[in-house]
């Protein structure tokens, strides 16, 4: 056998097992599959890059919209001017809101207002929402904005 010891030579599955052939083949398959997936994603989104290249004004509009939203966010909020009676109503509802959790359920707040004997609870809660003291969140609950409350009632 040309100088090779016949006892030390391995063939077939034995050679693959001894020299980590299975792990090497799995890594190779993973690399090839990942490359093909990345290539297919790139090709599927290529039409968007071509559209931007054809119409560069869209890029300018995109950045202009972002800068306008930044300007709107930096403008100071306008606070609603309330009468003394409305300020007193806000203070009463503040006491009710302090007994609740961080999130406020409107039906629960209405029920508490009716039990407390406050007049026109629906109209008063509408006033709180319009003035920005009660702020809606995405789950259908409301939060009490203490900053707006202090600015509108002081």
């Amino acid at each position: 056998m040309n100088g090779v010891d016949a006892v030390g030579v391995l063939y077939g599955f034995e050679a693959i097992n001894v020299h980590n052939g299975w792990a090497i083949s799995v890594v190779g398959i993973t690399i090839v599959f990942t490359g093909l997936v990345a290539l297919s994603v790139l090709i599927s989104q290529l039409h968007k890059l071509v559209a931007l290249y054809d119409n560069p004004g869209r890029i300018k509009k995109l950045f202009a919209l972002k800068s306008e939203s930044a300007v709107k966010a930096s403008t100071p909020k306008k606070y609603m001017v309330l009468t003394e009676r409305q300020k007193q109503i806000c203070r009463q509802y503040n006491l009710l809101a302090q007994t609740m959790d961080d999130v406020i359920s409107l039906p629960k707040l209405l029920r508490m207002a009716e039990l407390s004997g406050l007049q026109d609870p629906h109209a008063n809660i509408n006033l709180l929402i319009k003035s920005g003291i009660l702020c809606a969140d995405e789950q259908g609950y409301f939060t009490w904005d203490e900053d707006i409350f202090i600015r509108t009632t002081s």
Side-chain angles (χ1 to χ4, degrees), residues 71-126:
V71 169
K72 288 180 182 178
S74 66
T75 57
K77 293 182 178 178
K78 295 181 181 179
Y79 298 104
M80 194 171 174
V81 179
L82 301 177
T83 63
E84 284 302 319
R85 182 176 181 280
Q86 290 173 334
K87 289 179 184 180
Q88 184 62 30
I89 291 169
C90 290
R91 290 185 192 104
Q92 291 171 345
Y93 277 90
N94 184 31
L95 293 174
L96 289 177
Q98 287 176 359
T99 62
M100 301 177 82
D101 296 331
D102 290 338
V103 292
I104 299 170
S105 170
L106 284 188
K108 187 176 178 182
L109 184 62
L110 279 170
R111 185 168 178 263
M112 290 176 64
E114 289 171 351
L115 290 175
S116 299
L118 298 176
Q119 295 179 350
D120 301 325
H122 291 87
N124 293 332
I125 289 179
N126 187 32

Side-chain angles (χ1 to χ4, degrees), residues 28-44:
I29 290 170
T30 304
I31 290 172
V32 169
F33 186 73
T34 305
L36 289 172
V37 168
L39 185 63
S40 68
V41 168
L42 178 72
I43 290 173
S44 70

Side-chain angles (χ1 to χ4, degrees), residues 3-17:
V4 177
D5 187 16
V7 177
V9 178
L10 300 174
Y11 294 103
F13 290 123
E14 293 175 354
I16 293 172
N17 285 334

Side-chain angles (χ1 to χ4, degrees), residues 75-82 130-133 135 145-154:
T75 57
K77 293 182 178 178
K78 295 181 181 179
Y79 298 104
M80 194 171 174
V81 179
L82 301 177
K130 283 185 178 179
S131 65
I133 295 172
C135 302
D145 194 336
E146 192 68 30
D147 182 48
I148 295 176
F149 169 72
I150 291 171
R151 290 181 188 257
T152 55
T153 59
S154 60

Side-chain angles (χ1 to χ4, degrees), residues 129 132-143:
I129 293 171
I133 295 172
L134 279 179
C135 302
D137 63 4
E138 289 82 26
Q139 287 86 22
Y141 292 102
F142 287 78
T143 57

